Amino acid sequence: MKKVLLYSLFITAVFASCQKEYSTEEGGNSGAGVIIGADCRISKIAFNDSASGISIGSIGAAINALDNATDITLFDSLTLTIDFNSMPQYFTDTVAIDADQYFIYDISTKRIKSFHGLVDPTLPGSTEFEVDYIYDGAGYLINKSYTYSLLPGIPYQLVTYTYTGGNLTHMVTTDFTGDMVKDADLTYYNNIAPKSFMNIFPDENTYAEFNQFYNFGAKSTNAVKSLKLRYYDPGNVLVDSSVSVFNSYVMSRDNYVLSVYMLGDDQPSIPAAEGKLNFSYKCR
């Protein structure tokens, strides 16, 4: 993706009009006096170096009065450049993220039910593919099925999510042969159950910028404690892994996460760099 130079003053002006910002100090009680509000959701995740506190970047969305994300930007604070930007357009049940790619959502539940994309969005005439999102009776996303548009009904990749006690605890991605592409395990803090916290789908990286700003079903009940993602070569041969741990949660008075430390590896699925994650919210 091309990086476009953007001055920090402009970024500040864009986000200030549509989010609530809260500065928090390290420590479990530092957010005790902060109230976010009723019926709020994440509008921005800013990530800072855990040692120096220097800003590394942010992923944020401008959310309008209809609760639609109209501008999604991944910003690199170190180089003052945009790593990603989309200005979605809305048409009844369709969210067009660019001229060729779009989500379709269920009008009654607002949950995303399918996606139409290009294998290489930068290449005109690139191979088209579809993603079907399958939810269980409780509204949890349990499968994502990938098919090429010219071969409907023949999945080339399948993602399966497993939940325990209302929390996403395992993910596995398999290809058309049944071999694993990647899998992941997640653990949680039993004593922290935040409102409207992050979507964490460890398989996602290409379209991870949209993860926090659209409805992909019920969220995990508890706050994530650890995430281990493993990558495989054909034949289920483990070739790499990334591990992150989450600690020092700071909560608002009304039980939203204000900040948390994500230590270990970066996680493209959030997407955020390792360090301190600070959260802003948009309330309906």
Side-chain angles (χ1 to χ4, degrees), residues 118-167:
L118 302 179
V119 171
D120 184 354
T122 67
L123 180 64
S126 177
T127 301
E128 301 176 6
F129 69 92
E130 316 293 331
V131 185
D132 290 316
Y133 297 78
I134 297 96
Y135 300 87
D136 67 11
Y140 290 98
L141 180 62
I142 55 173
N143 291 115
K144 290 195 297 191
S145 178
Y146 290 75
T147 57
Y148 292 117
S149 301
L150 294 177
L151 296 171
I154 307 176
Y156 68 85
Q157 185 168 282
L158 179 67
V159 181
T160 301
Y161 300 109
T162 300
Y163 296 83
T164 305
N167 295 314

Side-chain angles (χ1 to χ4, degrees), residues 49-278:
D49 180 78
S50 57
S52 67
I54 293 174
S55 177
I56 299 172
S58 64
I59 176 72
I63 301 174
N64 67 16
L66 298 176
D67 199 37
N68 292 327
T70 57
D71 187 299
I72 298 172
T73 301
L74 177 61
F75 184 65
D76 186 331
S77 299
L78 299 179
T79 60
L80 297 181
T81 55
I82 289 179
D83 286 335
F84 172 88
N85 178 256
S86 175
M87 300 181 70
Q89 302 293 312
Y90 294 80
F91 309 94
T92 312
D93 64 349
T94 302
V95 183
I97 63 173
D98 58 35
D100 301 301
Q101 304 183 104
Y102 53 85
F103 290 99
I104 295 178
Y105 63 91
D106 184 296
I107 293 178
S108 61
T109 65
K110 305 300 182 183
R111 291 196 294 257
I112 296 296
K113 62 180 185 179
S114 64
F115 177 71
H116 175 84
L118 302 179
V119 171
D120 184 354
T122 67
L123 180 64
S126 177
T127 301
E128 301 176 6
F129 69 92
E130 316 293 331
V131 185
D132 290 316
Y133 297 78
I134 297 96
Y135 300 87
D136 67 11
Y140 290 98
L141 180 62
I142 55 173
N143 291 115
K144 290 195 297 191
S145 178
Y146 290 75
T147 57
Y148 292 117
S149 301
L150 294 177
L151 296 171
I154 307 176
Y156 68 85
Q157 185 168 282
L158 179 67
V159 181
T160 301
Y161 300 109
T162 300
Y163 296 83
T164 305
N167 295 314
L168 174 62
T169 53
H170 186 69
M171 179 281 303
V172 60
T173 302
T174 55
D175 64 17
F176 67 96
T177 70
D179 281 351
M180 285 193 295
V181 177
K182 61 184 79 170
D183 74 345
D185 289 298
L186 301 91
T187 66
Y188 295 84
Y189 291 95
N190 293 331
N191 61 334
I192 307 176
K195 294 179 182 177
S196 193
F197 195 39
M198 289 189 295
N199 284 318
I200 300 180
F201 301 119
D203 58 292
E204 190 61 76
N205 48 32
T206 306
Y207 297 94
E209 292 82 8
F210 300 96
N211 278 358
Q212 307 309 325
F213 309 119
Y214 290 102
N215 186 339
F216 295 99
K219 297 186 176 185
S220 292
T221 300
N222 296 100
V224 63
K225 184 176 184 179
S226 68
L227 166 58
K228 184 171 185 178
L229 177 62
R230 295 169 288 264
Y231 302 88
Y232 298 87
D233 274 347
N236 298 331
V237 178
L238 180 65
V239 292
D240 199 5
S241 65
S242 60
V243 180
S244 298
V245 295
F246 299 78
N247 58 42
S248 300
Y249 275 88
V250 175
M251 309 297 293
S252 72
R253 184 175 177 182
D254 48 351
N255 206 36
Y256 292 89
V257 175
L258 299 180
S259 67
V260 65
Y261 282 86
M262 182 180 75
L263 304 178
D265 295 313
D266 296 350
Q267 289 296 338
S269 60
I270 292 177
E274 179 270 347
K276 185 180 181 182
L277 310 185
N278 296 288

